[in-house]
Every structure is written in C-alpha cells, then in structure tokens.
Amino acid sequence: MGAYIVKRLLLMIPTLLGVMLLTFAVTQFVPGGPIERIIAQMEGNGADDRLSGGGTENLGDKQNNSSYRGARGLDPEIIKKLEKDFGFDKPPVERFLLMIKKYSMFDFGQSYFRSKSVLSLIAEKLPVSISLGLWLLIISYLVSIPLGIRKAVKDGTPFDVWSSAIVSVGYAIPSFVLSIFLIIVFAGGSYYNWFPLRLLTSDNFSDLSWWGKIKDYAWHLVLPLIAMGVGSFATMTLLTKNSFLDEIKKQYVTTARAKGLTESRVLYGHVFRNAMLLVISGFPGAFLHAFFTGSLLIEQVFSLDGLGFLTYRSVLDRDYAVVFANLYIFTLIGLVVALISDLLYTWIDPRIDFEAREV
C-alpha cells in the first residue's frame, strides 16, 4: 500500500500542472481582459490621477496583449505601468512558471481588485462554505444511506415506490427555485416569517449566550440546507439501494441465511461492507460538490458570501489571482480526497489490493 500511495502522490503533480496549464492557456484568449477593464474604468471615471499615487492595486487585472481597444486617449506609460505592476510585461510561459513556483509554496499573492491576499480572502469566505458543505454532507449521508438500505430490504413494496417518488421529485426541483419558494413561504416573503432571510448569523450574534449562538446559527442554516439537501438525497439513496440489492442476490448471502444468521446480522455483518464500496467511490465527488460547487446559487439567493460566490465574482471580474488560486486548491483537495477514498476501500474490504494493479 505504501508504494501505491507514493505513486498516487507523484501522479498528482502532472495532473495538477495539466489542469492549471489548460486554464491558464484559456485565459490568454478570453476577450475583455483585466487591463481592458481597468482602462474602461479609468476613461469612464477619469481615474488617471489614481496611478500617480501608486494605487493600482485596487484598480484591477491584466492582459497579455498590449494593444487595448479604447486606450488611445491614455498615456502609453500608464498602460506599461499597469502591465508591470500586475506582471503582464513578462511572456506567458514565464508568468505560468513563476505562478506554479509560487503556488508550490502556497504563495498565492494578492487579489487584483481587493487589496487583500488571496489566502486571506479564502479564509474569510471559508466559514460559509464549511457551514453549508459540512452539514449538507453529514445530513445527506445520514439520511440517504439508511433510506437506501431500507428501500433495498423493502424492494417493490409501497414504501419503496412512494419514497422513490419523493426523492425523484426532490432531485428534479432546481435548488434555486426551491430556495425562492422557501423564502416566499417561510422567510417573510408573502406568508410566514419563521426563518431569517439572509446571512448565517443575526446582527446581535455577538451579544447572545453560547446556547443562543448555536440556536441562531442553526436557525439560519435551515432554509439553505433544505434547498441544497432535497436534491442531494436521490443519487446517494438510489446508489445505496442498488448496491445492497446487488449484494443481497449473491450466493454468500444465501449461504449466510442457510446457516441460521439473523437478517440483521446478514445485512450489516456481511452485505454492508461489500455494498458500501460503491457508495464510498462517490464520496470525492459528493465532497467537492457540497463544499465548492453546489452552493453558488444558494449563496446568492440567501446572501451568503462563501467560496462559490467568491469564485464566481472573480471570474466575472477577471481577478485571475483568485481564480487560479481557487482552482489550484480545489483540484489539490479533490486529488487528495480521491486518494483517501481508495484508502477507505482497503479499510472496509482488506481483500482489495491496489498495488496489484496498474495505477
């Protein structure tokens, strides 16, 4: 297993480099780049004087092309200063290698538009994403796995039919549509004002007791988690059900029952270990979706400023420092979680030997 882990860790390097290189190459051809955006702001707001004081860190981004449309009225020295300040005076290959060198040491630099380091921005938004992602993941697994097992045991019964209908309808409803419905009905939209409309805590959160803080925090999470969670149950529930059904039909289950073992012992002592392998294989995707990709629309609807919204705004603003840093971190976490998933395989079923196969 040690050799397999080393191989997987080494394979992370070219994978990470490939993802970063592809994204970097694409950004070189995206129209309306950062420098054009700064120039438009300067020409529209008469912001030339801001450059004389060295305040370019709040103005914006950069572009690898020095021929900017609409820049004829600006001093070429101003454009050159912008390119130098943001590093676009260097060739693309040199910029990419410099970026990778810094990222390998987890030096992500400064945001182009926010006068903050990228790491501080991520740390600032991380609590929101953790709050949504962690609780969504826990609730999803706590509900979906027992429900999937129950559906497998009761396959073909009315319980199986109506529970499948419910989770399928929940999966079909877009999360943002459900969010708006919940706000209208339960957050003071038109009917009831039972839940808060925005943010994760109330304005007086710091004045509350520790128990009051827990209740306030949990109360703010109810609607966002419902909106995100309803659609997340179907995949995991049906995956669990089908995994258990496949295992229940195998010969070793028949043999265990013939030996007089109770149904509970057969189900949780023999079937569970084998059936959960397929469920665990979906953990990396579920983890990344819950933490980083599944909450963008929810964050917007409920005014929650998390990593999803930060990345979205950074893409629109061409804040490549934040975009590349988030991509690097998310990809690295995804690769590590995939490795952990494989290690969980061997923990649940020691018969699996990854070293015996090609990586």
Side-chain angles (χ1 to χ4, degrees), residues 70 96 123 158 178 187 247 289 298 352:
F96 177 76
L178 181 58
E247 292 298 323
H289 175 78
I298 303 300
I352 296 177

Side-chain angles (χ1 to χ4, degrees), residues 86-333:
F86 293 106
F88 277 124
D89 58 329
K90 301 179 178 66
V93 174
E94 183 180 348
R95 285 191 283 118
F96 177 76
L97 293 177
L98 181 61
M99 179 183 71
I100 293 299
K101 178 182 178 181
K102 290 182 178 180
Y103 282 14
S104 66
M105 298 180 288
F106 292 93
D107 177 11
F108 299 106
Q110 296 286 120
S111 167
Y112 298 155
F113 291 98
R114 295 179 175 88
S115 296
K116 291 183 178 180
S117 69
V118 174
L119 279 179
S120 66
L121 274 175
I122 294 176
E124 180 182 319
K125 312 301 181 183
L126 195 57
V128 173
S129 295
I130 289 178
S131 295
L132 294 175
L134 181 62
W135 290 114
L136 174 63
L137 199 64
I138 292 174
I139 293 172
S140 177
Y141 271 72
L142 288 179
V143 172
S144 298
I145 291 178
L147 180 59
I149 296 174
R150 184 67 175 173
K151 285 172 63 62
V153 174
K154 298 290 185 180
D155 183 42
T157 64
F159 171 81
D160 180 41
V161 174
W162 64 256
S163 60
S164 294
I166 291 175
V167 296
S168 297
V169 170
Y171 181 77
I173 300 175
S175 59
F176 72 93
V177 173
L178 181 58
S179 301
I180 295 173
F181 171 79
L182 292 173
I183 288 175
I184 292 175
V185 176
F186 299 110
S190 299
Y191 298 93
Y192 306 103
N193 191 17
W194 293 348
F195 296 95
L197 178 61
R198 56 192 301 272
L199 303 179
L200 284 181
T201 57
S202 301
D203 294 335
N204 64 335
F205 182 78
S206 58
D207 300 328
L208 300 175
S209 64
W210 67 270
W211 177 242
K213 290 181 179 179
I214 293 176
K215 291 194 296 183
D216 181 74
Y217 169 73
W219 206 238
H220 280 75
L221 281 175
V222 171
L223 294 187
L225 288 179
I226 290 176
M228 295 176 65
V230 167
S232 68
F233 294 142
T235 301
M236 186 60 61
T237 299
L238 296 179
L239 180 63
T240 303
K241 174 191 172 182
N242 293 332
S243 298
F244 271 77
L245 282 178
D246 289 341
E247 292 298 323
I248 289 173
K249 297 175 183 178
K250 292 183 178 179
Q251 184 62 40
Y252 75 89
V253 176
T254 303
T255 303
R257 286 170 174 166
K259 290 181 179 180
L261 297 180
T262 63
E263 192 65 21
S264 177
R265 179 72 180 275
V266 172
L267 193 62
Y268 294 101
H270 294 76
V271 175
F272 184 84
R273 184 180 65 179
N274 296 325
M276 287 304 294
L277 290 175
L278 189 57
V279 176
I280 289 175
S281 67
F283 177 78
F287 177 88
L288 294 178
H289 175 78
F291 275 83
F292 304 120
T293 63
S295 61
L296 171 58
L297 292 175
I298 303 300
E299 288 178 12
Q300 289 184 292
V301 172
F302 289 98
S303 301
L304 304 174
D305 195 4
L307 287 177
F309 189 70
L310 172 66
T311 304
Y312 171 73
R313 289 303 312 171
S314 299
V315 170
L316 294 183
D317 294 338
R318 302 294 194 268
D319 196 343
Y320 292 151
V322 178
V323 173
F324 287 142
N326 277 317
L327 179 66
Y328 182 88
I329 294 172
F330 294 172
T331 304
L332 182 59
I333 291 176

Side-chain angles (χ1 to χ4, degrees), residues 29-79:
F29 302 99
V30 174
I35 292 294
E36 285 187 338
R37 188 170 182 274
I38 298 173
I39 290 172
Q41 290 178 351
M42 294 170 61
E43 291 188 329
N45 301 325
D48 303 65
D49 294 337
R50 284 186 285 184
L51 291 173
S52 61
T56 57
E57 69 274 10
N58 292 323
L59 290 178
D61 229 297
K62 42 218 177 187
Q63 176 79 310
N64 61 323
N65 187 352
S66 60
S67 300
Y68 302 104
R69 290 178 298 176
R72 296 179 181 177
L74 294 178
D75 188 343
E77 293 299 321
I78 294 178
I79 298 177

